[in-house]
Amino acid sequence: MKKLLHILNRLSFGLRPGEIEQIQSIGIDAYIQSQLSPESIPESPQITRQLDQWRTLKLTPIQLLRQYKPRNQEQRSEEERQKAHQKARQPLQQAIQARLLRAIASRRQLQEVMVDFWFNHFNVFAKKGEIHFWVGVYEQQAIRPYSLGRFRELLAATVHHPAMLVYLDNWRNTAPNSPGAKGQFRGINENYARELMELHTLGVDGGYTQDDVIALAHILTGWSFDLDGNKGDSNGFYFDINRHDYSDKVLLGQRIKGNGVAEVEKAIDSLASHPATARYISYKLAQYFVADEPPSGLVKGLAKEFLQTEGDIRAVLETLFQRPEFLQANNYGRKFKTPYHYIISAVRATGTKEPNLKRISGMLNQLSMPLYNCSTPEGYKNTQEAWLSPDAMLQRVSLATTIAQGGLGDNKSVDASQLLNTLGDSISAQTKKEIENSPEKLRAALILGSPDLMYR
């Protein structure tokens, strides 16, 4: 049972009523294999219906700007301006609700866990520029389809997306002596090139130099977007030949001929297949799924699988879940939950049928982890050091009380006995004893605020 609970807590956002029995009926190995192939798991009709209602998720970045960005506000009445601003908030609101709904209720839990992992890895900040219109489709187009696919394809999707190009300023990146070097497009911007190597691929200790950063920045000149939708692709990505540096470059010791778009594709190939990238991605996956300080042998094993399979994320995860380090009993229940993991797991445990997603989003704000609002490129951390503090624990306990009292939106107090039945052996004997000695009205809150619920 302990092994089953461990696997559930790492491959999903926590237990739901009846889930242990369902997995026992098919077996742990079958559960893992199904989660590694989310396309084989039918999504619930309820989720499909709700997602269909959020139309902004189906639009392109250009369509979102055309339909939701306020225009000519000085010529409108105060009432019209307010309506326009309310409408402009819809893409971000719908993105948040869709993410929370899927994390709470989707049967494809490992996919949702990986969306959380990869969005933080390739983070963009909703409050910068036009990105608040785009975070939902960025996740929908550049993260979600590739979350269990090949790393090279995932990387390429983020490199081409306007949300990333705005966030890390590459849309301004221009060869100084090019015909297009004028106005706001006047020179080299190294921001994206640096983060592309330091955070997205090689890692800070990946062996690259400042010369490599400069070379990659020159390779990325003209890599931009066209918001008018006249020049770029359907998502707005646009390569501006008049702002590109067509000279030859040397990146990581490899000569890259100056020939436009193909330069970036070659750079992506090189970065995605580099041994340093294999090590860095493997370390982050091991840290996310196993321990804050993952064993070096595990990281080496995963990196080997990454290189042998050309960055097949599904294969790397399958290897990870079979490794003895992942299944070691001393790792069970030792990974401290981020606020996102904690709130989602608490909601799942209660089995609330129609949780109030706006309230849940507000709870994440209270715990200093608002969705899509991490301002720094490295995204939210997933280690205990980042989230464990006395104040943070007081806030979690307060929210546990709110949830127990029906604060998720249905106004029904959570049944403590049903909650214990759902969580089973994940609640320690000591916690159960304390609950038994407490007034019945406090029991659900004590369970949701217990140390057992803070770890996965």
Side-chain angles (χ1 to χ4, degrees), residues 119-131 134 138 161-171 189 191-192 195 199-200 225 372-379:
F119 193 98
N120 281 309
H121 185 82
F122 293 106
N123 182 55
V124 298
F125 179 42
K127 289 184 179 176
K128 182 170 182 178
E130 319 286 0
I131 297 175
W134 297 336
Y138 171 69
H161 206 279
M164 183 62 76
L165 298 176
V166 168
Y167 178 50
L168 293 176
D169 304 315
N170 202 82
W171 70 283
N189 189 305
N191 286 5
Y192 185 34
E195 307 301 2
L199 296 177
H200 297 172
F225 57 83
Y372 308 123
N373 268 320
C374 180
S375 60
T376 54
E378 64 265 27

Side-chain angles (χ1 to χ4, degrees), residues 12 35 38 87 135 139 150 156 163 197 199 203 215 221 270 290 306 311 451:
S12 78
Q35 289 297 318
K87 184 178 180 182
V135 283
E139 181 176 295
R150 293 201 177 272
M197 288 195 280
L199 296 177
T221 49
S270 179
V290 180
F306 186 100

Side-chain angles (χ1 to χ4, degrees), residues 115-188:
V115 166
D116 173 58
F117 174 85
W118 288 122
F119 193 98
N120 281 309
H121 185 82
F122 293 106
N123 182 55
V124 298
F125 179 42
K127 289 184 179 176
K128 182 170 182 178
E130 319 286 0
I131 297 175
H132 64 283
F133 293 109
W134 297 336
V135 283
V137 292
Y138 171 69
E139 181 176 295
Q140 194 82 355
Q141 297 168 345
I143 303 293
R144 186 170 292 279
Y146 310 102
S147 60
L148 286 158
R150 293 201 177 272
F151 179 76
R152 200 271 182 212
E153 294 177 4
L154 171 62
L155 176 64
T158 63
V159 169
H160 285 82
H161 206 279
M164 183 62 76
L165 298 176
V166 168
Y167 178 50
L168 293 176
D169 304 315
N170 202 82
W171 70 283
R172 298 179 188 272
N173 188 15
T174 304
N177 299 318
S178 63
K182 52 191 174 185
Q184 59 187 333
F185 306 111
R186 287 196 174 273
I188 296 296

Side-chain angles (χ1 to χ4, degrees), residues 158-327:
T158 63
V159 169
H160 285 82
H161 206 279
M164 183 62 76
L165 298 176
V166 168
Y167 178 50
L168 293 176
D169 304 315
N170 202 82
W171 70 283
R172 298 179 188 272
N173 188 15
T174 304
N177 299 318
S178 63
K182 52 191 174 185
Q184 59 187 333
F185 306 111
R186 287 196 174 273
I188 296 296
N189 189 305
E190 297 177 7
N191 286 5
Y192 185 34
R194 187 177 309 282
E195 307 301 2
L196 185 52
M197 288 195 280
E198 180 178 325
L199 296 177
H200 297 172
T201 55
L202 306 174
V204 67
D205 299 320
Y208 64 90
T209 66
Q210 176 60 19
D211 287 342
D212 290 315
V213 173
I214 294 170
L216 184 55
H218 281 262
I219 288 170
L220 287 163
T221 49
W223 202 259
S224 188
F225 57 83
D226 172 42
L227 294 182
D228 294 326
N230 299 321
K231 302 173 185 175
D233 65 17
S234 60
N235 285 333
F237 169 76
Y238 171 57
F239 176 68
D240 190 340
I241 60 173
N242 292 316
R243 294 197 285 120
H244 185 65
D245 176 359
Y246 279 90
S247 67
D248 292 352
K249 295 95 175 169
V250 176
L251 178 67
L252 301 171
Q254 180 182 16
R255 179 166 294 279
I256 295 181
K257 185 172 177 57
N259 56 6
V261 171
E263 294 174 51
V264 180
E265 297 299 334
K266 193 161 188 178
I268 293 172
D269 286 340
S270 179
L271 291 169
S273 60
H274 199 283
T277 298
R279 286 193 301 272
Y280 180 56
I281 299 301
S282 296
Y283 178 88
K284 289 194 71 175
L285 286 169
Q287 183 185 66
Y288 190 90
F289 283 99
V290 180
D292 289 0
E293 296 293 334
S296 59
L298 171 62
V299 175
K300 287 179 183 176
L302 298 181
K304 182 180 178 182
E305 183 71 15
F306 186 100
L307 291 171
Q308 287 180 341
T309 62
E310 299 181 343
D312 186 328
I313 299 164
R314 182 182 281 108
V316 173
L317 287 177
E318 186 170 16
T319 296
L320 191 159
F321 300 148
Q322 293 172 350
R323 292 279 302 203
E325 299 94 334
F326 173 70
L327 295 169

